[in-house]
């Protein structure tokens, strides 16, 4: 059984084409754009515009991967069970927010190592004995998946393999707040919040980004590379089929891409 249907593959291909077209167009309209690094420009001035555009394409494609994740998730989880890039006012007992702050503080100051189940239990215990005072914060969440058959809810934050230092504790805070909020809103559901690294830049070696691993235990609360794509696709073949789709697009459009980007090289 295929992991990704023909219709969904067509939607994913549309997203790939959006990014490729954007940067091929820039090769025509703004060919002199460069990285602005004077040393790189001095060394590789005839190649730098090409390098700059390829870097831009890689960054834009990273943003597009969230949309691709949504497309895959809708097919496997159902449209009504998927939410992406939504803002929500999260109102929690103040003692729950205090627990979240203490978890973040302990991790930031290296007093403890991340332990997903321990962190989750701290939040659950705080919810069982709520304070009378409540606090509200508005957060934006990347992706939420609901499985009504098995009574499960997952909130996921998507990142590339090397997020900014300030992004990681912010993601941790949002995920812990989402965890607490979903526990309160869906008391009959098993609730989890996961950081999703959509590819491992050291593959096949283990993912070892210290900035991330300070805040997320690689054994729990963190889902990486093929495990992430296979999870949202509910199929162990999702990652390889998605990878093949990108490779197929690149092969079919190799000449078009080369013709566009080669204009940026001065020989």
């Amino acid at each position: 059984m295929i992991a990704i249907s023909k219709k969904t593959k067509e939607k994913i291909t549309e997203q790939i084409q959006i990014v490729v077209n954007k940067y091929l167009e820039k090769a025509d309209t703004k060919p002199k754009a460069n990285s602005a690094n004077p040393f790189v420009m001095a060394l590789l001035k005839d190649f730098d515009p090409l390098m700059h555009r390829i870097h831009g394409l890689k960054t834009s494609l990273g943003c597009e991967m969230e949309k691709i994740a949504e497309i895959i998730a809708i097919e496997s989880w159902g449209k009504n069970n998927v939410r992406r890039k939504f803002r929500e006012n999260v109102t929690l007992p103040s003692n729950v927010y205090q627990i979240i702050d203490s978890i973040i503080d302990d991790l930031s100051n290296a007093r403890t190592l991340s332990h997903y189940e321990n962190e989750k239990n701290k939040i659950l215990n705080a919810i069982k004995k709520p304070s009378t005072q409540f606090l509200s914060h508005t957060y934006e969440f990347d992706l939420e998946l609901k499985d009504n058959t098995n009574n499960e809810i997952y909130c996921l934050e998507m990142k590339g393999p090397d997020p900014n230092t300030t992004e990681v504790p912010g993601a941790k805070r949002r995920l812990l707040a989402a965890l607490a909020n979903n526990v309160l809103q869906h008391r009959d559901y098993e609730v989890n919040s996961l950081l999703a690294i959509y590819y491992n830049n050291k593959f096949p070696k283990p993912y070892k980004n210290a900035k991330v691993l300070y805040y997320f235990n690689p054994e729990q609360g963190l889902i990486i590379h093929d495990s992430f794509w296979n999870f949202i696709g509910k199929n162990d073949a999702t990652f390889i089929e998605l990878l093949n789709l990108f490779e197929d697009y690149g092969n079919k459009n190799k000449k078009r891409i080369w013709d566009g980007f080669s204009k940026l090289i001065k020989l």
Side-chain angles (χ1 to χ4, degrees):
M1 181 178 177
I2 61 171
I4 306 174
S5 70
K6 181 180 178 181
K7 185 177 180 180
T8 295
K9 286 180 178 179
E10 289 172 353
K11 291 180 179 179
I12 294 170
T13 300
E14 288 174 9
Q15 299 303 317
I16 298 171
Q17 187 148 294
I18 286 170
V19 179
V20 172
N21 287 348
K22 175 182 176 182
Y23 281 88
L24 289 180
E25 182 181 339
K26 283 187 175 183
D28 275 329
T29 59
K30 298 179 181 179
K32 295 183 179 180
N34 57 56
S35 65
N37 182 324
F39 303 105
V40 171
M41 289 172 65
L43 182 65
L44 300 170
K45 63 180 181 179
D46 291 336
F47 294 91
D48 190 73
L50 172 64
M51 295 163 59
H52 179 67
R53 290 296 176 223
I54 291 175
H55 177 75
L57 186 149
K58 288 165 62 179
T59 302
S60 290
L61 191 58
C63 298
E64 210 69 26
M65 296 309 288
E66 287 187 18
K67 296 178 184 177
I68 291 173
E70 179 187 27
I71 291 169
I72 292 172
I74 286 174
E75 180 173 58
S76 52
W77 296 73
K79 186 174 183 179
N80 293 333
N81 299 320
V82 176
R83 291 199 293 171
R84 186 184 76 84
K85 281 297 181 191
F86 61 97
R87 293 175 65 83
E88 192 160 312
N89 187 269
V90 178
T91 301
L92 301 172
S94 59
N95 67 313
V96 176
Y97 272 121
Q98 288 168 3
I99 289 294
I100 291 173
D101 289 340
S102 70
I103 291 171
I104 300 292
D105 188 57
D106 285 345
L107 295 173
S108 298
N109 291 287
R111 286 192 286 266
T112 60
L113 295 174
S114 176
H115 191 292
Y116 180 75
E117 287 300 328
N118 286 350
E119 294 160 2
K120 184 176 178 178
N121 286 333
K122 286 180 181 179
I123 290 173
L124 293 177
N125 289 334
I127 289 173
K128 290 175 183 176
K129 298 179 181 179
S131 59
T132 56
Q133 187 178 15
F134 284 73
L135 295 174
S136 295
H137 296 286
T138 300
Y139 296 105
E140 182 175 270
F141 299 110
D142 286 348
L143 190 64
E144 183 184 85
L145 307 173
K146 184 185 290 186
D147 185 338
N148 292 315
T149 301
N150 298 307
N151 284 12
E152 296 174 343
I153 293 178
Y154 297 89
C155 185
L156 296 97
E157 178 108 7
M158 279 185 67
K159 296 291 182 188
D162 191 26
N164 295 331
T165 303
T166 56
E167 287 182 311
V168 184
K172 185 74 175 187
R173 186 179 302 277
R174 286 189 294 275
L175 288 171
L176 292 176
L179 177 67
N181 189 50
N182 278 328
V183 168
L184 286 169
Q185 298 297 324
H186 307 277
R187 293 187 178 271
D188 294 332
Y189 280 68
E190 175 66 25
V191 174
N192 285 286
S193 291
L194 310 171
L195 179 68
I197 304 296
Y198 73 90
Y199 76 96
N200 175 9
N201 57 344
K202 301 297 182 182
F203 185 82
K205 294 181 179 179
Y207 179 75
K208 290 187 176 180
N209 188 309
K211 289 181 292 186
V212 173
L213 299 185
Y214 269 124
Y215 292 90
F216 293 92
N217 185 332
E219 296 179 2
Q220 289 182 311
L222 182 61
I223 189 166
I224 305 168
H225 202 74
D226 54 339
S227 297
F228 164 62
W229 294 104
N230 294 343
F231 171 73
I232 63 170
K234 291 187 176 183
N235 191 305
D236 289 343
T238 301
F239 172 75
I240 192 64
E241 286 193 17
L242 180 62
L243 200 61
N244 288 341
L245 187 61
F246 273 80
E247 185 175 1
D248 184 59
Y249 183 91
N251 287 333
K252 289 179 179 177
N253 293 273
K254 189 180 298 183
K255 186 179 186 304
R256 176 170 164 262
I257 293 171
W258 169 247
D259 287 345
F261 278 154
S262 63
K263 297 174 185 177
L264 300 170
I265 303 175
K266 299 177 182 177
L267 297 176

